[in-house]
Amino acid sequence: MTNSLHSQTAPALPKKLLRGLLRQCAWCGGNGAFFTSWYTKTDNCQSCGLGRERGYEGFELGAATMGVFMTFGSIIAWMIISVATGVPLVPLLLIAGTLAVCVPSLGYPLTYTIWFAVDITFRAPSAEDFAQAQLWLDNRALA
């Protein structure tokens, strides 16, 4: 079983990031990417077979950093908008607190797919990554 996705050229960074925001694999655009449900992640893309971490132990830290950026970014944007428009303090804090809880919990899968997009931009998939992906796809097809 040969997957022509492994011989394709890498998509541009904006396309990878857009795919990450849509919870797709940044490499192949496969839906769901590394998730079988909203919170259940797998080690490989369900479409192209590329490994999520690709032998990099610090991958989880990058995904966590994306979560911090998303959360703090949404809170800061809300604070700027609310101060500029004169929102009273209590609603300002209530909505900021809601963002602090909801953005990380609802955006959890996006942190992984966005970080994967950044990761494959700086560490392009190697021939070994593609070989492991093909092995994973072949094993999945036999199961």
Side-chain angles (χ1 to χ4, degrees):
M1 178 174 172
T2 304
N3 191 337
S4 62
L5 292 171
H6 297 167
S7 61
Q8 77 181 30
T9 58
L13 179 60
K15 187 172 189 174
K16 291 179 205 173
L17 291 174
L18 179 62
R19 286 176 174 177
L21 284 170
L22 296 174
R23 205 173 144 237
Q24 298 174 343
C25 174
W27 184 259
C28 72
N31 287 330
F34 306 103
F35 290 86
T36 55
S37 70
W38 192 258
Y39 294 108
T40 307
K41 60 185 179 213
T42 62
D43 290 332
N44 297 77
C45 172
Q46 301 300 299
S47 298
C48 69
L50 265 182
R52 176 172 46 92
E53 295 182 8
R54 298 183 303 122
Y56 180 56
E57 296 81 19
F59 186 86
E60 299 286 332
L61 180 60
T65 302
M66 288 294 114
V68 169
F69 287 162
M70 288 170 53
T71 303
F72 286 178
S74 66
I75 292 171
I76 290 169
W78 165 246
M79 295 278 214
I80 290 170
I81 291 168
S82 62
V83 168
T85 59
V87 174
L89 181 62
V90 173
L92 182 150
L93 293 177
L94 287 174
I95 293 175
T98 302
L99 288 171
V101 172
C102 292
V103 170
S105 58
L106 296 176
Y108 174 76
L110 300 178
T111 63
Y112 284 89
T113 54
I114 293 170
W115 179 246
F116 183 70
V118 172
D119 185 47
I120 65 171
T121 298
F122 292 106
R123 288 187 324 120
S126 65
E128 182 181 338
D129 292 327
F130 289 130
Q132 289 175 353
Q134 190 61 53
L135 180 63
W136 184 84
L137 289 170
D138 292 344
N139 289 338
R140 189 179 74 168
L142 294 175

